[in-house]
Amino acid sequence: MDVDEPGGDDRRLCVVGAGVRGTILLDRLRALLDPVGGAPASAAQGLTVDLVDPHRPGPGRIWRTDQSPHLVMNTRADATTVFTGPESTVCGPADPPAPTLYEWARLAAGAPLPEPRRSALAEVADRLDPGCLGTAAPEAAGLRPWDFASRALFGRYLAWALADVIARLPPGVRVAHHARRVVDVRAARGAERARVLLDDGTALPADAVILALGWHLGTSGRGGAGRAGTGRLVPADSPVDQDLDRIAPGAPIALKGLGMSFFDTLILLTQGRGGSFTADGAGGLVYRRGGGEPLVYAGSRRGLPFRAQPELRGPWAGPGLPHTRRAIAALPPAEADLSAAVLPALRRDAALAYYTTLARVSPGAFAEDRGALLGQLAAPDAPDQGALRDAVARAVPRAADRLDLAAAERPVPDVRSLAAYRAWATRYLTDDLREAERGPDSPLKAALACYGAVRPLLPAAAGDGRLTARSYDADLLPFLRLAGAVCGVPPAFRVRQLLALLRADVVRLLPPGMRVETADGRAAVWSDAVPGSRVAVDAVVEAHLPPPGLGGGTGTPLDALCARGEARPHRVGGLARPGLDVAAATGAVVRADGSPHRRLFAVGLPVESLRIFTIVAPVARTDSAVLREADACARAALTRCRSGAGGLGNSRALPAT
């Protein structure tokens, strides 16, 4: 059935997905429609925005507020936002001051904020109801800028943000939430309107549709539940949605993947089952069993958990990446090569960050004037590598004080036995934690932070088909995997907990080259690197998420659109990638024949392979590509809703960071 078929003066915009990006999109729509920002008063009249998401708008599925308090974010509280700040180069009007997650939590809890932010956010504080914190009130009251908030607290922030945005929409705009799943979008060429088909048979008419979809891992909206009939395999999904109840206490199981999902799943199976961590008096932790935990064999292709983030007790500017920025600016508009032009410049920036930090915290490591070496590293022109190695050897005589990026990128030695590997891995994790505890005083963490800091710059270097197909596959994709592993993703306390679980023999690491077999009702895991390492397990949990992008046959509207030629995969060198192809300037979905849709747009995870590194929420006080993408798409969709009339300006290609 069709719903609310509007009259001739009414317009409808449908946003599919009401999580982080749905919230950001609605806020950009608010800004673009605001008469104070210059929009004509008629721009908002008669506009209905349909938000379609089976979960609560704002938190969505991933950040819902009823999940375990043991699960935390991997971005610090004062670096997390969904609002557009003055640093953003969006085309739309500038916004009034809006709170980060940390600032919102403090304001909602009635805790003080330092000036000038307290005065700047006084109007926001007046709009806050302490009841929005719910059971997270104690956490909010004690939150510090550098803390990692619980995922549930971030969900409450998102719920408040969306409600606040809706309350500040101009008169004449109506927002309706439909707690259903979208199964298809019909937007045929020449049709007067698109029709958004929901899983209850409802059809929503729309002048424009924005797909702001998240991870697609199952047909039911719960990836594990959608594919529960897979024997001893627990499929990939958000850890809180995986079917972990089937895992019996004491049972041997395997976790496949050692990234952020690994840490989340592990904590649900240990602390989430009654275990506890207590201080050991020497800066570490002791794990006390709760009785419900399994015996966990953990491994991955690389064989090592992600490195820990530096521990901070104040602001840290992070690396500036001068060489990398120059290299990206000098790239040709097409057929660019990441390994030849950008990655060498990144490694120079890493060396500059390392030795600058070393000079500050350990000046005695230098045998001669450190200014000469730092000057060589900072010079715009790339130095001769042999001459630079000689200069480093003269300036820093002890090899242990020098940067070894090759060892940092691929630290695993030759593996001869399980026992030897586990002893080495424990030392490696202990050393990395020690570096993380040094915070901004760790030269190694300063160098590896460059690998994380470059990721927001990669859309300018690799997005919109700029790379050669060879460089996309051989350089970009491996680098993204490497950067996630080495730059520091889990909070340091997660690595501290992992070490306690290793000592308690709750977790046993497998060497690199993890293999999994699930057949005939049995399961086993082993490492290619160590003969005889095979072990039988009761279940294998995929503790990782696949690359974001198209639905892959899981029943999303993207599958139906591609099947009809109304959308197509992004291609590099003629080969299809996981992501959706969209127009660079507007986010308009591109049909199979290469023509852009007039009514259908997409942002976020479905276009990851084209946009590059879109999987994070906006980072406060940066020119976030997520915000720029949402602003451009919202502008184009509003223009379509106005049947091509002017008044909102023209969209343009997204500017480089």
Side-chain angles (χ1 to χ4, degrees):
M1 62 179 176
D2 290 340
V3 171
D4 290 343
E5 190 65 48
D9 294 332
D10 289 336
R11 295 159 295 141
R12 293 189 85 124
L13 170 60
C14 184
V15 178
V16 182
V20 173
R21 275 173 180 75
T23 301
I24 293 169
L25 279 165
L26 195 63
D27 188 50
R28 296 316 304 151
L29 292 169
R30 175 204 55 77
L32 291 165
L33 293 169
D34 191 347
V36 176
S42 60
Q45 293 303 312
L47 177 64
T48 295
V49 180
D50 291 300
L51 295 178
V52 185
D53 195 311
H55 304 279
R56 182 183 179 186
R61 177 170 79 100
I62 300 299
W63 303 105
R64 59 184 187 269
T65 59
D66 62 350
Q67 62 188 294
S68 169
H70 298 308
L71 299 178
V72 301
M73 305 182 70
N74 58 13
T75 304
R76 292 179 173 88
D78 202 34
T80 303
T81 189
V82 290
F83 296 105
T84 304
E87 303 83 6
S88 180
T89 56
V90 298
C91 301
D95 267 357
T100 64
L101 169 59
Y102 160 72
E103 291 169 336
W104 167 83
R106 298 288 287 178
L107 290 172
L113 274 180
E115 293 290 2
R117 290 296 287 175
R118 180 173 61 182
S119 296
L121 295 172
E123 184 180 343
V124 175
D126 291 340
R127 302 198 302 266
L128 281 174
D129 174 7
C132 65
L133 291 172
T135 57
E139 178 190 357
L143 197 66
R144 299 169 298 181
W146 52 81
D147 284 339
F148 299 90
S150 69
R151 297 166 67 90
L153 181 62
F154 183 47
R156 293 185 181 278
Y157 172 67
L158 291 170
W160 168 82
L162 184 64
D164 188 67
V165 168
I166 291 173
R168 291 185 291 124
L169 284 168
V173 180
R174 173 177 175 266
V175 177
H177 172 229
H178 306 268
R180 309 301 311 184
R181 188 171 60 87
V182 173
V183 296
D184 200 357
V185 178
R186 298 296 177 93
R189 197 190 308 266
E192 182 178 350
R193 275 187 157 159
R195 296 171 71 241
V196 180
L197 308 183
L198 309 186
D199 58 359
D200 64 350
T202 300
L204 300 175
D207 296 292
V209 180
I210 303 177
L211 301 173
L213 301 164
W215 299 94
H216 298 292
L217 300 165
T219 58
S220 67
R222 292 172 60 91
R227 294 184 291 161
T230 50
R232 295 186 179 274
L233 182 68
V234 179
D237 200 350
S238 174
V240 73
D241 280 327
Q242 288 182 301
D243 185 13
L244 302 181
D245 290 343
R246 71 163 91 170
I247 296 173
I253 68 159
L255 298 188
K256 182 184 177 184
L258 292 171
M260 280 310 301
S261 290
F262 159 73
F263 285 99
D264 288 344
T265 303
L266 184 61
I267 214 67
L268 289 176
L269 291 170
T270 53
Q271 193 176 24
R273 290 190 169 193
S276 62
F277 296 95
T278 56
D280 65 1
L285 296 174
V286 173
Y287 180 72
R288 302 190 184 282
R289 293 173 179 265
E293 52 277 276
L295 171 61
V296 177
Y297 292 89
S300 68
R301 175 173 47 192
R302 189 168 180 267
L304 282 176
F306 284 9
R307 286 182 180 269
Q309 290 192 44
E311 289 190 317
L312 302 180
R313 292 295 182 267
W316 184 34
L321 303 179
H323 299 310
T324 307
R325 292 179 184 274
R326 280 194 295 269
I328 290 174
L331 284 174
E335 297 295 300
D337 190 315
L338 202 68
S339 66
V342 177
L343 298 185
L346 172 67
R347 292 185 172 98
R348 286 181 61 207
D349 279 325
L352 177 61
Y354 180 94
Y355 288 108
T356 299
T357 306
L358 184 68
R360 175 172 58 82
V361 301
S362 300
F366 291 82
E368 57 184 46
D369 180 16
R370 54 190 178 272
L373 175 60
L374 296 180
Q376 278 186 273
L377 291 168
D381 296 330
D384 175 79
Q385 290 302 303
L388 182 59
R389 282 194 297 271
D390 292 342
V392 169
R394 289 193 304 271
V396 185
R398 279 188 2 115
D401 291 329
R402 301 176 200 152
L403 174 63
D404 187 344
L405 276 178
E409 290 181 0
R410 291 173 175 79
V412 180
D414 290 337
V415 177
R416 299 184 182 277
S417 71
L418 285 174
Y421 177 74
R422 288 168 182 163
W424 175 87
T426 300
R427 291 194 300 273
Y428 165 86
L429 291 168
T430 302
D431 291 344
D432 183 65
L433 178 60
R434 187 177 300 116
E435 292 294 326
E437 290 169 344
R438 298 179 67 185
D441 289 341
S442 167
L444 179 61
K445 290 296 180 183
L448 296 181
C450 294
Y451 289 66
V454 76
R455 291 181 296 184
L457 307 183
L458 289 177
D464 300 332
R466 194 171 189 180
L467 289 183
T468 66
R470 186 216 63 81
S471 189
Y472 188 97
D473 288 327
D475 303 329
L476 176 65
L477 299 182
F479 175 77
L480 288 171
R481 290 192 293 268
L482 173 67
V486 306
C487 72
V489 178
F493 73 83
R494 285 293 193 225
V495 176
R496 201 172 287 119
Q497 290 171 335
L498 175 58
L499 283 166
L501 290 168
L502 290 169
R503 287 191 291 268
D505 199 32
V506 173
V507 177
R508 299 174 182 177
L509 290 177
L510 291 173
M514 181 185 190
R515 297 288 186 176
V516 173
E517 181 181 84
T518 54
D520 301 324
R522 294 173 294 179
V525 294
W526 68 95
S527 166
D528 275 345
V530 178
S533 58
R534 184 184 181 98
V535 59
V537 293
D538 283 5
V540 176
V541 181
E542 291 185 338
H544 62 90
L545 293 177
L550 300 182
T554 55
T556 73
L558 302 181
D559 296 316
L561 287 165
C562 288
R564 290 196 305 273
E566 292 295 308
R568 70 180 187 184
H570 169 229
R571 292 179 178 272
V572 178
L575 297 177
R577 307 298 170 176
L580 198 65
D581 196 11
V582 298
T586 63
V589 171
V590 176
R591 293 184 176 90
D593 64 6
S595 63
H597 253 289
R598 296 170 63 247
R599 301 190 184 278
L600 187 57
F601 305 85
V603 298
L605 297 184
V607 298
E608 164 67 14
S609 68
L610 180 72
R611 295 291 195 211
I612 312 300
F613 198 58
T614 62
I615 61 176
V616 296
V619 177
R621 294 174 290 279
T622 69
D623 186 15
S624 168
V626 175
L627 294 171
R628 289 186 274 116
E629 177 192 42
D631 182 79
C633 188
R635 178 182 295 270
L638 278 177
T639 299
R640 173 47 48 198
C641 285
R642 302 184 76 237
S643 299
L648 291 174
N650 295 317
S651 296
R652 57 182 173 84
L654 299 182
T657 303

